């Protein structure tokens, strides 16, 4: 199946069949795919937490607004977080990045406000999110990206201090009765000529 066909078939899953489990091999592959995700200057200001423990999922579900059932029914919830301590990030890049990349950060990113720097971190996390959703589609795994969560409460449950939750993704296998799948509900997208330009 072509990548275009995969994108046409993937959708935001609303109901999972929690009797179907993702193999450990596929979970490990997804972890490695996230590790390999691209980021500006290879900055990697992130952490990805895979939560399959039922008790932890239950706690997360209670601070997930309208996403409660997806968190509970999914096989695993993957929490995408950005580094929250700028000094820790700077130590990380000084240790791991070439001089040119570090200098780019110092000249173009570091002079910005703390809010702007963290927004730049957030954008790197969203690059990884796009890779992850595409990888899930290619592997036949259904997914639900969720911004409708309480990030600070996620951090408390996960005992995160140096990282801050940005978005989470429930993954697993759809319930065959899920009303949102493309075979039951047509995919809705703006026409290509309205969102894509060629010059």
């Amino acid at each position: 199946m072509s990548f275009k066909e995969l994108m046409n078939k993937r959708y935001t899953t609303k109901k999972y069949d929690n009797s179907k489990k993702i193999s450990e091999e596929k979970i490990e592959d997804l972890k490695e795919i996230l590790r390999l995700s691209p980021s500006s200057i290879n900055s990697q200001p992130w952490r990805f937490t895979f939560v399959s423990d039922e008790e932890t999922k239950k706690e997360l579900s209670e601070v997930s607004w309208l996403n409660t059932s997806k968190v509970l029914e999914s096989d695993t919830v993957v929490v995408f977080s950005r580094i929250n301590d700028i000094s820790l990030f700077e130590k990380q890049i000084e240790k791991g990045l070439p001089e040119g990349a570090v200098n780019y950060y110092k000249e173009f990113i570091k002079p910005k406000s703390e809010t702007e720097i963290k927004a730049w971190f957030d954008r790197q996390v969203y690059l990884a999110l796009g890779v992850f959703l595409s990888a899930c589609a290619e592997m036949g795994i259904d997914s639900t990206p969720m911004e409708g969560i309480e990030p600070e409460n996620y951090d408390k449950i996960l005992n995160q201090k140096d990282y801050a939750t940005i978005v989470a993704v429930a993954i697993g296998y759809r319930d065959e009765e899920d009303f949102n799948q493309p075979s039951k509900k047509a995919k809705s997208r703006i026409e290509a000529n309205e969102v894509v330009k060629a010059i």
Side-chain angles (χ1 to χ4, degrees):
M1 188 180 296
S2 72
F3 190 74
K4 184 175 78 171
E5 289 171 319
L6 285 171
M7 289 299 98
N8 201 39
K9 286 182 177 294
R10 82 148 302 278
Y11 75 107
T12 296
T13 304
K14 302 294 186 184
K15 187 171 176 56
Y16 286 91
D17 180 348
N18 60 8
S19 69
K20 296 179 181 176
K21 299 300 179 188
I22 303 171
S23 71
E24 189 58 36
E25 181 181 8
K26 286 188 174 183
I27 292 290
E28 291 305 313
D29 283 348
L30 286 172
K31 290 175 181 177
E32 181 65 4
I33 287 164
L34 281 173
R35 191 183 73 84
L36 295 171
S37 293
S39 59
S40 177
I41 65 164
N42 199 22
S43 52
Q44 305 172 72
W46 50 42
R47 173 177 285 171
F48 312 108
T49 306
F50 283 65
V51 181
S52 55
D53 174 71
E54 292 301 327
E55 186 54 42
T56 307
K57 280 171 57 186
K58 184 175 184 302
E59 288 184 65
L60 293 176
S61 77
E62 292 167 359
V63 291
S64 297
W65 298 339
L66 298 177
N67 292 305
T68 296
S69 62
K70 297 156 193 108
V71 172
L72 287 173
E73 295 167 0
S74 66
D75 178 87
T76 300
V77 174
V78 184
V79 181
F80 288 65
S81 305
R82 63 134 154 86
I83 202 162
N84 204 35
D85 182 330
I86 293 173
S87 65
L88 185 62
F89 171 75
E90 290 175 353
K91 287 176 187 172
Q92 175 180 300
I93 64 170
E94 288 280 0
K95 179 181 176 184
L97 293 187
E99 183 180 0
V102 174
N103 288 342
Y104 173 88
Y105 168 78
K106 288 179 177 177
E107 184 172 351
F108 295 105
I109 308 299
K110 189 179 174 99
K112 298 178 184 292
S113 69
E114 179 178 345
T115 299
E116 290 174 305
I117 293 171
K118 289 181 177 179
W120 183 73
F121 292 165
D122 291 353
R123 292 195 292 274
Q124 312 317 312
V125 174
Y126 274 90
L127 287 174
L129 174 65
V131 169
F132 183 78
L133 296 175
S134 299
C136 285
E138 192 276 331
M139 294 165 72
I141 296 169
D142 294 306
S143 61
T144 309
M146 302 178 294
E147 286 188 312
I149 59 174
E150 298 175 27
E152 289 182 3
N153 282 322
Y154 264 54
D155 292 338
K156 288 176 186 174
I157 292 165
L158 299 175
N159 196 29
Q160 293 197 136
K161 293 185 175 67
D162 295 328
Y163 291 82
T165 297
I166 302 301
V167 63
V169 182
I171 59 174
Y173 296 105
R174 73 188 71 175
D175 186 301
E176 290 308 318
E177 299 305 310
D178 185 1
F179 71 90
N180 205 42
Q181 54 191 310
S183 62
K184 296 181 183 291
K185 180 183 175 185
K187 208 172 184 73
S188 174
R189 294 292 188 272
I190 297 170
E191 292 298 323
N193 62 3
E194 294 186 48
V195 295
V196 181
K197 288 188 70 175
I199 298 174

